[in-house]
Amino acid sequence: MAAEGAVIGVVSSSDVNTAVNPTENAMAYLQDEKVEGEIPNLNLGDLDITTDEFILDEVDIHIQANLEDDLVKEALKTGVDLRQYSKQVEAELQRIEQASIKDYIKESQNIALLHNQITACDSILERMEGMLSGFQSDLSSISSEIQTLQQQSVSMNVRLKNRQAVRSHLSQLVDELVVPGNMISVILDSPVTEQEFLEQLHELNNKINFAKELSFRETLACSDIQDIVDRLKIKAVSKIREFILQKTYSFRKPMTNYQIPQNTLLKYRFFYQFLLANERTVAKEIRDEYVDTMSKIYYSYFKSYSGRLLKVQYEEVADKDDLMGVEDTAKKGFFSKPSLKSRNTIFTLGQRGTVLSPAELEGPILIPHTAQRGDSRYPYETLFRSQHYALLDNGCREFLFLSDFFMVAGNSALDLFNSIMGKTLSMFLKSMSTYVSDCYDSIAVFLCIHIILRFKAITAKRNIPALDKYWEAVLELLWPRFELILELNIQSIRNTDPQKLGVLDTRPHYITRRYAEFSSAIVSINQTFPNERTHTLLGQLQIEVENFVLKMAAEFPSRRDQLIFLINNYDMLLSVLMERAADDSKEVEGFQQLLLARTQEFIEEILSPPFGGMIAFVKEAEALMEKGQLDKLKNDEARITQLVRGFSSTWKQSVEGMSQDVMRSFTNFKNGTSIIQGALTQLIQYYHGFHKVLNQPTFRSLAVRSELINLHHLMVEVKKHKPNF
């Protein structure tokens, strides 16, 4: 069948190249070339269903697949004859084939042109391929050259760094080795005080150290400059030695303010550092000369100053007989209030405590000749403060100078300081030991202790440990003496005989006043730096004073006078103590309790004569009421009547007399007023109790109850009798 050879292939490009006429060539090609994609004629006679290679299952699958086709389904549905349909398909294919051939012939010129263009492109691409291959080979050669250049650059960079390093070391070496002419001329000719000399001295010191370092390495170039460096060093050492010794000797001139040359030396502290590094013998000579000079200067200054200070001390000082328990007649006028221009007080602090105020403590030191011209006299603690503040000020400044100029620290600085100030400090301790051994002024000693404690805190704040051992040595002298004087005063009060103290008097005793002044002084001073040993001794002194007051009170024949004496003394003690000591101090609390107890007892004592009968009845009745036995007083109608009428007729006169008596008995009007108020309050309480008892059923039938004074009216009347001061 003609349809079985239908063409759906593509013409080869080689056949097109050989064609002269595109149309003829195309026709020849279609006739001669084997057509691709032929559709074979299906012949069922060639189907061998007996072969082993045929698998019925696969046939079923293909049949089933074809049956799923839409065209097959449509054909089967419409009942089309497949053979007739096959012929139609074949005819259609032939028609399409003829149409395709015509289209190809129609486009043959364009196809030939496309072929020629493709050929031209092939040649162009071939040339470009050649060019790219050449460029690739050129790039390969350039890459290798770059790698070579890179290696050369790295090598040159390493060589450059090595040369620069060598150049730096050599340049430094040459600079350190070369001795400039300017350095030589400055070291030889310029004064040491010139700034240029100091700068060149630094340079010379660097060259000396560098030469030493090179000599250890056995550098040959070192020998070229060693001689000139040594000569310059000798010249510099000589000039520096002369300058420092000259400044040191200037300290010895009379009336010289040695702080000025010290400040000058501090500006040139490098001079000593240079000597210490390069000529230790000269450095030691200068240091020893300075130590010897300043040691003598300080010793001479403080010895003279201390001696002149003693000339402005009070001429009269306390001795072994000036104790708290010594009777006032033993040394007439000694305990009377003296003039502060002639001597200090023994047991009274007064203005002496101002020496511990910040303004006075760190104030200017005393000028003895000025005080002598003004005929001024001072207590020992003021002289002590001035002397030791001068020591503190000079000692701190000297320690800082030594640490800075001589470049010492720690124990070395302390040893150097002690080598200068040791003689002066020993002189101070010896002088103080002599004074303390014969001192009986406990307040002066205690003030000196607290001056030292405050000075010790000042040096600690300044971070100057130079005087710490001295402060401790002074305290070791003063504390035992203070404790001894306190113990002597305690013993003197313990041994006091009341019968030897003159005429008895209910007013405050002078020994009690001495204790009050002394105790308040010690307590007020001791508040800043409390000391347990001091509190213990004051406690012992207080016990002895309390015992003394009781012994003195026992000398009075009546209990009333005894109570007046006790109240007056306790009140005076509290008044003095509360001026200086804290309200919650142990001493204040103790005497407050004693005063309260004796005051309450005295109130009962003065109420007893005019109102004793009523008070006794109230107490008796209240006791029976608690037991439920008040009926025992039922038959005391006459007694009750007498008490009611007696109180109503005499209470005003009794209260007035009592008030006058109290105000005459007590030296402190404020205390007397308080006692009167307490007595009147207690009287009202007793009378209120009297009302309460008579309101009980046992006494309600008494006719005399109508004569009782109204309690409110009594309170109003009593207020009129309260004194106002």
Side-chain angles (χ1 to χ4, degrees):
M1 291 177 62
E4 293 177 0
V7 180
I8 39 180
V10 179
V11 180
S12 172
S13 62
S14 61
D15 295 330
V16 178
N17 291 335
T18 58
V20 177
N21 190 330
T23 305
E24 294 177 356
N25 289 337
M27 293 299 294
Y29 171 78
L30 290 172
Q31 293 174 359
D32 297 337
E33 185 72 13
K34 182 180 179 180
V35 180
E36 296 179 358
E38 292 182 348
I39 300 175
N41 188 18
L42 297 175
N43 189 354
L44 296 175
D46 296 335
L47 181 62
D48 185 4
I49 61 175
T50 63
T51 178
D52 295 334
E53 298 176 356
F54 188 80
I55 301 174
L56 293 177
D57 293 338
E58 293 182 359
V59 174
D60 292 339
I61 293 172
H62 285 296
I63 293 172
Q64 186 65 31
N66 291 331
L67 290 175
E68 294 294 331
D69 186 80
D70 292 338
L71 292 176
V72 175
K73 285 182 179 181
E74 184 66 25
L76 292 175
K77 185 177 180 181
T78 56
V80 177
D81 187 358
L82 293 178
R83 285 174 293 184
Q84 184 64 32
Y85 184 74
S86 174
K87 290 179 180 182
Q88 291 177 1
V89 171
E90 183 177 356
E92 183 68 22
L93 289 174
Q94 287 178 355
R95 186 182 62 77
I96 293 172
E97 179 181 1
Q98 293 299 324
S100 297
I101 292 171
K102 290 179 181 181
D103 290 340
Y104 184 80
I105 292 171
K106 183 179 178 181
E107 297 294 332
S108 60
Q109 291 182 355
N110 293 335
I111 293 172
L113 180 60
L114 178 61
H115 175 73
N116 291 335
Q117 290 177 352
I118 292 173
T119 302
C121 286
D122 285 344
S123 63
I124 292 171
L125 291 175
E126 185 177 357
R127 287 195 305 273
M128 290 184 65
E129 183 179 3
M131 291 173 62
L132 291 174
S133 297
F135 184 66
Q136 184 177 8
S137 63
D138 292 341
L139 285 178
S140 299
S141 62
I142 290 173
S143 177
S144 62
E145 291 177 2
I146 290 175
Q147 290 180 354
T148 303
L149 290 174
Q150 185 178 9
Q151 292 174 356
Q152 292 176 356
S153 176
V154 172
S155 177
M156 291 174 66
N157 190 35
V158 171
R159 290 198 300 272
L160 177 62
K161 288 183 178 179
N162 291 337
R163 290 177 182 178
Q164 288 177 342
V166 171
R167 179 183 177 183
S168 175
H169 287 295
L170 286 176
S171 176
Q172 183 180 359
L173 178 63
V174 172
D175 290 342
E176 294 291 345
L177 287 174
V178 172
V179 181
N182 183 47
M183 176 186 291
I184 297 173
S185 61
V186 170
I187 296 296
L188 294 178
D189 302 329
S190 296
V192 296
T193 54
E194 295 289 337
Q195 180 65 27
E196 190 177 7
F197 179 87
L198 186 60
E199 293 174 357
Q200 294 301 328
L201 188 66
H202 277 280
E203 291 296 326
L204 177 60
N205 189 56
N206 292 335
K207 291 186 183 298
I208 292 172
N209 293 333
F210 190 71
K212 290 179 182 178
E213 182 181 350
L214 292 181
S215 65
F216 289 126
R217 301 178 185 175
E218 299 181 355
T219 305
L220 296 178
C222 179
S223 59
D224 295 339
I225 64 163
Q226 191 65 50
D227 182 59
I228 188 170
V229 168
D230 289 343
R231 291 183 181 181
L232 288 175
K233 181 181 73 173
I234 292 172
K235 183 63 176 177
V237 168
S238 175
K239 294 176 72 173
I240 291 172
R241 174 183 177 276
E242 182 181 357
F243 171 75
I244 297 179
L245 287 179
Q246 181 183 2
K247 290 295 179 185
T248 303
Y249 294 150
S250 67
F251 296 162
R252 302 176 180 179
K253 295 179 182 179
M255 307 300 293
T256 298
N257 184 358
Y258 59 86
Q259 295 175 11
I260 296 176
Q262 276 186 339
N263 293 333
T264 303
L265 287 176
L266 285 177
K267 295 179 181 178
Y268 303 102
R269 59 174 64 85
F270 181 72
F271 288 173
Y272 185 79
Q273 182 180 347
F274 180 84
L275 294 178
L276 196 63
N278 300 288
E279 198 63 50
R280 286 186 172 272
T281 304
V282 177
K284 185 178 184 303
E285 176 191 3
I286 288 175
R287 176 170 164 171
D288 292 344
E289 192 66 33
Y290 178 85
V291 169
D292 182 65
T293 299
M294 293 307 297
S295 177
K296 292 178 180 177
I297 288 174
Y298 281 124
Y299 180 78
S300 175
Y301 167 73
F302 279 107
K303 183 177 181 181
S304 173
Y305 182 67
S306 300
R308 284 179 291 162
L309 278 180
L310 292 177
K311 294 180 181 180
V312 295
Q313 184 183 359
Y314 284 129
E315 295 178 358
E316 295 184 41
V317 294
D319 56 28
K320 61 182 179 179
D321 294 326
D322 297 325
L323 299 175
M324 197 175 297
V326 175
E327 56 271 20
D328 207 6
T329 56
K331 193 172 183 179
K332 187 176 181 181
F334 186 85
F335 291 105
S336 61
K337 187 175 181 181
S339 172
L340 291 177
K341 291 184 178 180
S342 61
R343 60 180 299 276
N344 61 318
T345 55
I346 303 299
F347 302 108
T348 304
L349 184 62
Q351 297 299 316
R352 298 171 70 182
T354 57
V355 74
L356 297 178
S357 64
E360 181 73 19
L361 190 68
E362 299 184 60
I365 62 174
L366 290 177
I367 309 299
H369 61 271
T370 303
Q372 283 180 312
R373 280 201 300 266
D375 197 24
S376 300
R377 290 292 183 268
Y378 300 94
Y380 178 76
E381 64 272 7
T382 302
L383 310 181
F384 181 88
R385 195 282 315 175
S386 183
Q387 181 188 45
H388 281 80
Y389 187 68
L391 174 65
L392 180 147
D393 193 42
N394 286 275
C396 290
R397 185 180 292 108
E398 186 65 29
F399 182 80
L400 292 174
F401 173 81
L402 295 176
S403 301
D404 196 359
F405 186 78
F406 291 104
M407 297 180 298
V408 290
N411 291 331
S412 299
L414 293 176
D415 292 341
L416 184 59
F417 178 83
N418 290 330
S419 63
I420 293 176
M421 300 295 294
K423 190 175 180 181
T424 301
L425 298 180
S426 298
M427 181 263 292
F428 270 22
L429 290 174
K430 183 177 180 181
S431 174
M432 199 177 311
S433 177
T434 302
Y435 169 79
V436 167
S437 63
D438 196 37
C439 176
Y440 292 88
D441 188 353
S442 53
I443 291 181
V445 176
F446 199 59
L447 286 171
C448 291
I449 289 173
H450 279 264
I451 289 171
I452 293 298
L453 291 174
R454 284 161 173 77
F455 283 168
K456 187 178 179 181
I458 291 173
T459 54
K461 185 178 180 180
R462 295 181 183 180
N463 197 23
I464 305 294
L467 293 170
D468 287 352
K469 290 185 177 179
Y470 174 74
W471 301 139
E472 294 297 333
V474 173
L475 292 176
E476 288 177 2
L477 280 175
L478 296 177
W479 273 119
R481 187 62 189 180
F482 173 72
E483 293 173 0
L484 175 63
I485 298 173
L486 264 184
E487 290 171 354
L488 290 175
N489 280 286
I490 292 171
Q491 188 65 33
S492 69
I493 294 177
R494 184 182 298 127
N495 296 335
T496 299
D497 185 358
Q499 296 181 354
K500 295 181 180 180
L501 297 180
V503 180
L504 291 176
D505 192 346
T506 57
R507 291 176 296 180
H509 199 274
Y510 59 84
I511 291 181
T512 311
R513 178 169 290 279
R514 292 175 189 171
Y515 163 76
E517 296 286 353
F518 177 78
S519 180
S520 64
I522 298 301
V523 170
S524 63
I525 296 171
N526 200 46
Q527 287 175 350
T528 306
F529 294 92
N531 179 267
E532 190 60 34
R533 176 63 177 161
T534 303
H535 285 303
T536 302
L537 289 173
L538 284 179
Q540 296 177 8
L541 182 61
Q542 179 180 349
I543 292 173
E544 294 302 328
V545 170
E546 290 175 5
N547 292 336
F548 165 76
V549 172
L550 292 175
K551 287 193 296 184
M552 287 297 300
E555 296 294 316
F556 290 92
S558 68
R559 182 57 182 169
R560 179 178 177 280
D561 289 340
Q562 292 177 0
L563 291 173
I564 293 174
F565 177 80
L566 291 174
I567 292 173
N568 276 329
N569 280 272
Y570 292 152
D571 178 64
M572 183 273 298
L573 286 168
L574 275 176
S575 299
V576 176
L577 283 172
M578 293 178 70
E579 288 180 3
R580 297 186 180 274
D583 292 343
D584 57 350
S585 66
K586 188 184 301 183
E587 292 79 9
V588 171
E589 290 181 356
F591 286 114
Q592 281 179 337
Q593 294 175 2
L594 290 173
L595 177 62
L596 182 62
R598 299 290 81 79
T599 300
Q600 194 61 38
E601 185 180 351
F602 179 76
I603 288 173
E604 296 290 338
E605 187 73 20
I606 60 175
L607 288 176
S608 181
F611 309 108
M614 181 190 70
I615 294 172
F617 175 79
V618 170
K619 291 180 179 180
E620 181 183 0
E622 288 178 347
L624 291 174
M625 284 171 61
E626 291 180 0
K627 298 177 182 179
Q629 301 175 358
L630 189 60
D631 291 340
K632 290 183 177 181
L633 299 177
K634 190 174 182 179
N635 298 324
D636 288 350
E637 181 178 353
R639 177 186 174 189
I640 294 172
T641 301
Q642 182 182 359
L643 290 175
V644 171
R645 292 175 179 173
F647 182 86
S648 300
S649 60
T650 63
W651 74 270
K652 289 184 179 181
Q653 296 84 352
S654 299
V655 167
E656 184 66 29
M658 183 176 62
S659 299
Q660 294 177 359
D661 185 35
V662 168
M663 297 310 297
R664 285 194 301 267
S665 300
F666 296 99
T667 55
N668 186 348
F669 286 163
K670 183 178 179 181
N671 184 42
T673 301
S674 176
I675 292 174
I676 292 173
Q677 291 178 351
L680 294 177
T681 302
Q682 189 66 33
L683 175 62
I684 291 174
Q685 290 179 353
Y686 280 132
Y687 198 68
H688 178 262
F690 191 50
H691 267 264
K692 187 177 179 181
V693 170
L694 295 184
N695 283 332
Q696 296 299 315
T698 306
F699 304 110
R700 284 179 183 174
S701 60
L702 295 179
V704 76
R705 289 180 65 252
S706 61
E707 299 181 25
L708 286 172
I709 301 174
N710 181 271
L711 193 62
H712 179 70
H713 176 70
L714 178 64
M715 293 173 64
V716 173
E717 291 295 325
V718 163
K719 286 182 180 180
K720 297 178 181 179
H721 293 273
K722 288 185 178 180
N724 296 316
F725 293 97

